[in-house]
């Protein structure tokens, strides 16, 4: 077990010996749970975060990779949510500039007035399926978007183009357009890394903030038992407050932990969203650096944008009856690929071009809307009485995690009779601290210290921000630091750093959440062997454990991400140098 994790377990036990209780226990290590963990740590509270799998491994690992204001929420009349989302988008652009970047977004428009009445009905609370949006409702929405951000503008105002101007900028875009409109939102390169940085910041803030992955919480009278899933060790803990941040599993968690306070009706009714990562140079170049934000034939919004050298496309929006792990099914893959033909009819994208897929359940508030796109992406905090009382985080989305965490933390502070002493809206996150306006300056500084190519230094800056200096120094001191393969800048030293400093304890943690090896579609069988050898040395795995870890990772990639064992072997044959 890594020393970092052993230290966290020891700190939890020491808190119970010395103080007898935590102020709050946060159940669920997705982005909302991590956000409120950090908020409470900033207020000086003793707070324990418990996640039964890895941090950001559930719903929080399956977002669209967009950090956005939610233009389409205007059509649902959710002006307050759009205003909040735009504020949080801008805060992330400033606080995490190493991971969150501006994204020009273009809407293809085929008519003038279409969808105007439908948009008005939605704004007034109607539940009808949206109609195709013409230039008038799009223009109205973008004017509102610009107006909301008028006092703190970080991105350009929207622009409207004629059909001829659109064709010049996007020659492969469908020709049955009358206009296009471009506005700016943002994208996040690696959301799971942002979650880890928030945890590191929180634990640095106060020694009484403790985060545990691979740990279960069980009711034990008025107290709780924390079960370490890696060792089966049990620790009895007490708390004054429980915060349920388990997202799509919120109602299931209530059944386990709420006791007599269990609500009569469920809070959450999720929908499934699937996305594809596509390796297609023609499609990538046709996007011209923009996200195309468009409607499928059924009225649902679809997106496609450049992502880490490939193309990310999505998404589906399918009701689910039960929270469980999900995968992108073949019919969902075909739905997304078919949608691309609506906007790029002459570009043929095949299923064989998909190098990775991912799917998750959006933890939406329970709703009777027939059309899932009308279900609110807002959030609320629901209190359950009991001993101890429980706060339930209902709904929410990636962009607004900080605002939701702030709201929940304020409710917790009221419950505990504690004042708020710090605000997080303008607080840099992790590698966003002292991050230069020009990342190339930091990359040159790191490369200039020797033994590191400019490409590898740039990779470290993009992944870790200002913390890249720490990773580079660690790698220089790591005996036998070597590349995992010619197609990646990630090295064995970097993998060891992630194990020692960033809570990684399985190969899946490393491949799916701490690095971009899997989602970029470059992971190969040979890289898995080298990863496993490094992890085995760091974590003291024997031969059987090492084989099991590899087998479990390969099975997970096949079952949930569309990456077959044959694809992993084939990638070894076609691995290309990309790190100098």
């Amino acid at each position: 077990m890594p020393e970092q994790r052993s230290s966290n377990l020891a700190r939890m036990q020491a808190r119970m010996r010395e103080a007898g209780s935590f102020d709050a226990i946060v159940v669920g290590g997705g982005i909302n749970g991590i956000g409120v963990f950090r908020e409470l740590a900033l207020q000086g509270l003793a707070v324990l975060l418990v996640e039964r799998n890895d941090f950001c491994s559930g719903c929080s690992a399956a977002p669209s990779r967009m950090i956005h204001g939610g233009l389409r929420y205007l059509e649902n009349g959710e002006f307050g949510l759009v205003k909040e989302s735009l504020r949080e988008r801008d805060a992330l652009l400033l606080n995490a500039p190493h991971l969150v970047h501006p994204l020009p977004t273009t809407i293809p428009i085929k008519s003038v007035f279409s969808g105007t009445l439908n948009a008005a009905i939605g704004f007034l609370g109607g539940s009808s399926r949206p109609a195709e949006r013409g230039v008038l409702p799009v223009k109205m929405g973008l004017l509102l978007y610009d107006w909301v951000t008028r006092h703190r503008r970080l991105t350009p105002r929207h622009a409207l183009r004629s059909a001829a101007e659109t064709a010049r900028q996007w020659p492969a875009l469908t020709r049955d357009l009358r206009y296009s409109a471009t506005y700016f939102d943002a994208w996040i390169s690696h959301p799971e890394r942002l979650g880890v940085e928030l945890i590191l910041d929180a634990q640095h803030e106060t020694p009484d903030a403790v985060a545990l992955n691979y740990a279960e919480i069980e009711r034990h009278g008025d107290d709780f038992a924390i079960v370490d899933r890696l060792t089966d060790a049990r620790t009895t803990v007490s708390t004054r407050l429980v915060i349920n941040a388990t997202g799509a599993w919120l109602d299931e968690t209530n059944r386990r932990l709420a006791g007599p306070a269990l609500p009569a009706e469920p809070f959450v009714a999720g929908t499934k969203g699937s996305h594809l990562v596509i390796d297609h140079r023609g499609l990538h170049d046709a996007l011209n650096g923009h996200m195309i934000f468009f409607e499928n034939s059924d009225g649902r919004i679809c997106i496609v944008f450049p992502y880490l050298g490939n193309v990310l496309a999505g998404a589906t929006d399918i009701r689910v009856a039960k929270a469980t792990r999900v995968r992108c099914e073949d019919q969902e893959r075909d739905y997304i690929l078919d949608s691309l033909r609506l906007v790029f009819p002459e570009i043929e994208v095949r299923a064989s071009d998909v190098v990775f897929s991912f799917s998750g359940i959006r933890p939406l508030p329970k709703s009777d809307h027939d059309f899932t796109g009308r279900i609110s992406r807002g959030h609320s905090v629901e209190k359950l009485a009991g001993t101890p009382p429980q706060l339930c985080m209902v709904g929410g989305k990636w962009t607004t995690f900080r605002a939701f965490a702030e709201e929940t933390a304020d409710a917790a502070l009221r419950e505990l009779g504690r004042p708020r002493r710090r605000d997080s809206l303008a607080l840099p996150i992790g590698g966003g601290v002292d991050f230069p306006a020009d990342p190339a300056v930091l990359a040159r500084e790191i490369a200039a210290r020797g033994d590191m190519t400019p490409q590898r230094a740039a990779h470290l800056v993009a992944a870790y921000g200002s913390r890249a200096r720490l990773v580079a120094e660690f790698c220089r001191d790591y005996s036998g630091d070597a590349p995992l393969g010619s197609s990646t800048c990630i090295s064995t030293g970097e993998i060891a750093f992630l194990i020692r400093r960033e809570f990684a304890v399985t190969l899946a943690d490393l491949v799916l959440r701490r690095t971009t090896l899997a989602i970029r579609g470059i992971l190969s069988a040979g890289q898995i062997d080298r990863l496993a050898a490094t992890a085995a040395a760091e974590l003291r795995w024997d031969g059987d454990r090492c084989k099991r870890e590899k087998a479990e990772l390969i099975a997970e990639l096949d079952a949930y991400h569309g990456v077959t064992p044959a694809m992993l072997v084939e990638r070894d044959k076609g691995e290309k140098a990309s790190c100098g």
Side-chain angles (χ1 to χ4, degrees), residues 525-556:
Q527 289 175 10
I528 291 175
D529 288 339
R530 290 184 282 276
L531 271 166
T534 302
E538 289 291 323
L539 296 166
R540 299 181 178 87
W541 293 343
D542 61 20
D544 288 341
R545 173 65 188 275
C546 193
K547 289 178 183 177
R548 187 168 71 249
E549 282 282 336
K550 289 197 290 185
E552 289 175 356
L553 171 61
I554 291 169
E556 181 173 4

Side-chain angles (χ1 to χ4, degrees), residues 9 128 273 400 406 432 451 495 526 571:
L9 287 165
S128 62
T400 56
E406 181 180 66
D451 301 326
I495 295 301
R571 288 174 185 171

Side-chain angles (χ1 to χ4, degrees), residues 160-471:
L160 196 64
R161 294 183 183 83
S162 66
E165 291 173 314
T166 302
R168 281 194 291 272
Q169 189 151 346
W170 293 278
L173 201 61
T174 179
R175 294 304 176 93
D176 60 347
L177 302 179
R178 298 184 65 176
Y179 306 93
S180 69
T182 296
Y183 67 102
F184 276 76
D185 262 326
W187 69 286
I188 181 167
S189 56
H190 202 327
E192 299 92 338
R193 288 209 51 75
L194 184 68
V196 168
E197 292 191 353
L198 288 164
I199 294 172
L200 293 170
D201 287 353
Q203 292 199 156
H204 178 75
E205 185 65 31
T206 172
D208 288 327
V210 181
L212 291 173
N213 55 355
Y214 296 102
E216 290 267 21
I217 183 169
E218 298 176 356
R219 190 89 197 197
H220 190 69
D222 289 341
D223 295 328
F224 299 91
I226 304 300
V227 182
D228 180 5
R229 293 183 60 198
L230 302 183
T231 65
D232 292 327
R234 298 172 68 89
T235 303
T236 300
V237 297
S238 299
T239 186
R240 297 175 60 194
L241 180 68
V242 171
I243 298 173
N244 183 349
T246 54
W249 286 264
L250 184 138
D251 295 309
E252 175 189 309
T253 303
N254 281 340
R255 287 190 288 272
R256 290 192 296 110
L257 301 182
L262 182 68
E265 294 293 326
F267 288 130
V268 173
T271 69
K272 176 187 177 186
S274 293
H275 299 78
L276 307 177
V277 177
I278 301 167
D279 181 2
H280 193 295
R281 182 51 47 189
L283 179 60
H284 179 277
D285 293 347
L287 292 167
N288 197 17
H290 284 230
M291 180 171 80
I292 302 299
F293 180 88
F294 64 101
E295 297 162 75
N296 205 342
S297 54
D298 61 359
R300 300 186 192 280
I301 294 295
C302 291
I303 59 169
V304 55
F305 65 97
Y307 179 75
L308 301 178
N310 290 319
V311 171
L312 192 150
T316 58
D317 196 8
I318 303 168
R319 284 189 183 274
V320 293
K322 176 178 171 55
T324 187
R325 186 157 188 194
V326 292
R327 58 166 287 156
C328 178
E329 303 294 345
D330 290 349
Q331 59 267 35
E332 293 178 272
R333 178 201 64 202
D334 295 342
Y335 172 90
I336 296 170
L337 294 179
D338 287 344
S339 75
L340 297 177
R341 297 184 184 102
L342 296 177
V343 284
F344 294 107
E346 296 179 4
I347 297 178
E348 185 177 5
V349 183
R350 302 182 178 92
S352 58
D353 296 318
V354 178
V355 295
F356 189 80
S357 63
F358 59 95
S359 186
I361 298 176
R362 304 177 183 94
L364 305 181
K366 193 172 185 301
S367 170
D368 295 326
H369 276 305
D370 293 331
F371 185 67
T372 53
R374 292 291 196 197
I375 301 175
S376 174
R377 268 55 174 176
H379 51 78
S380 64
V381 181
E382 303 291 339
K383 179 182 174 182
L384 301 181
T387 307
Q390 181 169 307
L391 300 178
C392 298
M393 299 181 75
V394 180
K397 65 194 191 83
W398 240 101
T399 302
T400 56
F401 80 83
R402 192 213 62 86
F404 194 8
E406 181 180 66
E407 177 186 352
T408 308
D410 285 343
L413 292 170
R414 287 193 297 271
E415 191 69 32
L416 298 170
R418 299 282 291 271
R420 171 173 281 277
R421 69 184 196 186
R422 291 188 65 185
D423 181 71
S424 61
L425 181 62
L427 191 64
I429 297 169
V433 175
D434 296 326
F435 190 67
D438 182 2
V441 173
L442 179 55
R444 286 195 295 269
E445 172 198 322
I446 291 172
R449 295 181 184 178
D451 301 326
M452 192 162 288
T453 66
Q455 293 94 330
R456 187 174 173 198
H459 150 72
L460 292 178
V461 171
Y464 302 94
S466 57
R467 293 179 68 239
R469 296 185 182 94
L470 296 176
V471 186

